[in-house]
Amino acid sequence: MKAYKIQANFPLNIPLVFLAVISGAWLILNVLPIPLEGQLEPVWLNPLLAGILLVVSVLLLYKANRSGLTLDDNGLVYTPLFGARKGLSYGDLAKISTGGKSYCLYTTDGKRLIQFDDTYTKDASQIVAFLKEKGVRSEF
């Protein structure tokens, strides 16, 4: 049984990692009993803001790593960044557009489902061949 996973490219991964590290360091520095200049008043506001930023950035990173498209012989499962998983069949796919080393998968209602390329997706050419085998139309 063939199964492929296409990871969605989320452009804010690097800034989110940076925000998580900075907010974690900010939280640690505010919890330690070290007097620092420039702290907000009241004193509890600094750790609260740092904790909120840390939780939000970690949750977004987790959701970004889970989002993508899983293909197998029975059908496909699309996991968006926000929202519930969607089970689709290969009949729901209209075409796969090929442009150089990047590929874009469209649904029958004309919406772009996911975009992937040879650089960041393992076995991208095999995924395209698998989709053509399942009856998805290819467009150059």
Side-chain angles (χ1 to χ4, degrees), residues 16-53:
L16 280 174
V17 169
F18 181 72
L19 181 65
V21 169
I22 294 298
S23 60
W26 187 25
L27 182 64
I28 290 171
L29 286 175
N30 281 297
V31 170
L32 293 176
I34 301 171
L36 297 173
E37 291 183 27
Q39 285 188 339
L40 298 174
E41 290 294 330
V43 180
W44 57 267
L45 193 58
N46 273 328
L48 178 70
L49 289 175
I52 290 171
L53 282 175

Side-chain angles (χ1 to χ4, degrees), residues 20-92:
V21 169
I22 294 298
S23 60
W26 187 25
L27 182 64
I28 290 171
L29 286 175
N30 281 297
V31 170
L32 293 176
I34 301 171
L36 297 173
E37 291 183 27
Q39 285 188 339
L40 298 174
E41 290 294 330
V43 180
W44 57 267
L45 193 58
N46 273 328
L48 178 70
L49 289 175
I52 290 171
L53 282 175
L54 181 64
V55 167
V56 167
S57 60
V58 167
L59 283 176
L60 279 175
L61 281 170
Y62 172 73
K63 291 290 283 183
N65 284 335
R66 279 191 58 233
S67 64
L69 184 69
T70 306
L71 309 160
D72 61 8
D73 288 332
N74 300 328
L76 48 114
V77 176
Y78 176 62
T79 309
L81 183 63
F82 300 109
R85 289 182 173 195
K86 299 173 188 172
L88 303 169
S89 67
Y90 292 103
D92 296 331

